[in-house]
Amino acid sequence: MNRMKLNYSVDAILTLLFLIVAVTGFVMLFVMPSGVPRGRYQEYMGITKATWTLLHNRSAIMMTVFATIHLVLHKRWIICTTKNIFKKQENECSND
C-alpha cells in the first residue's frame, strides 16, 4: 500500500471512530438520563446503556491508537513545520 492510500485509510478510520465517539457520547449525555433506577439496563434504540458505554469507550481507545498512527505518519511534516515556525531562516523541508 502506498503512503497516500495508507494516510487516507488511517484518516477515514479516524473520522469514523470520531463520529462513533461523538454520537455515543451525545446519546449518553443528552438522551439517556443519569441516575435512573434501571441504571446500566436502561435502553435506547434497543441498546442498553452498558452497551452504549462499551461502544463509546472502545471506540475512544481505538481513536487514540489511530490518532497516534496519524501523528507518526506525519512526523516529518510536524517537525519541519515546527522548525519553520520557530526559526527565522527558511528550512529545506520536503512536502509530505
Side-chain angles (χ1 to χ4, degrees):
M1 179 182 292
N2 70 25
R3 189 165 176 104
M4 185 173 67
K5 287 182 181 179
L6 179 61
N7 280 332
Y8 182 82
S9 298
V10 168
D11 290 350
I13 292 169
L14 191 55
T15 301
L16 177 65
L17 289 168
F18 169 77
L19 291 173
I20 292 170
V21 170
V23 168
T24 56
F26 283 124
V27 166
M28 290 188 300
L29 183 63
F30 295 117
V31 177
M32 301 179 113
S34 61
V36 293
R38 293 180 61 205
R40 64 187 182 120
Y41 298 108
Q42 180 184 11
E43 288 188 16
Y44 178 70
M45 294 177 49
I47 303 172
T48 64
K49 186 171 186 175
T51 304
W52 281 102
T53 302
L54 180 69
L55 182 61
H56 179 77
N57 292 343
R58 297 280 168 93
S59 297
I61 291 167
M62 291 304 299
M63 190 171 83
T64 303
V65 169
F66 276 90
T68 303
I69 293 169
H70 174 85
L71 291 173
V72 168
L73 288 173
H74 293 85
K75 180 179 139 184
R76 287 189 314 184
W77 179 86
I78 294 167
I79 291 169
C80 186
T81 302
T82 303
K83 285 179 181 179
N84 283 334
I85 289 172
F86 291 107
K87 289 189 177 184
K88 294 188 189 271
Q89 66 208 27
E90 189 67 29
N91 287 321
E92 295 179 18
C93 296
S94 63
N95 291 332
D96 288 332

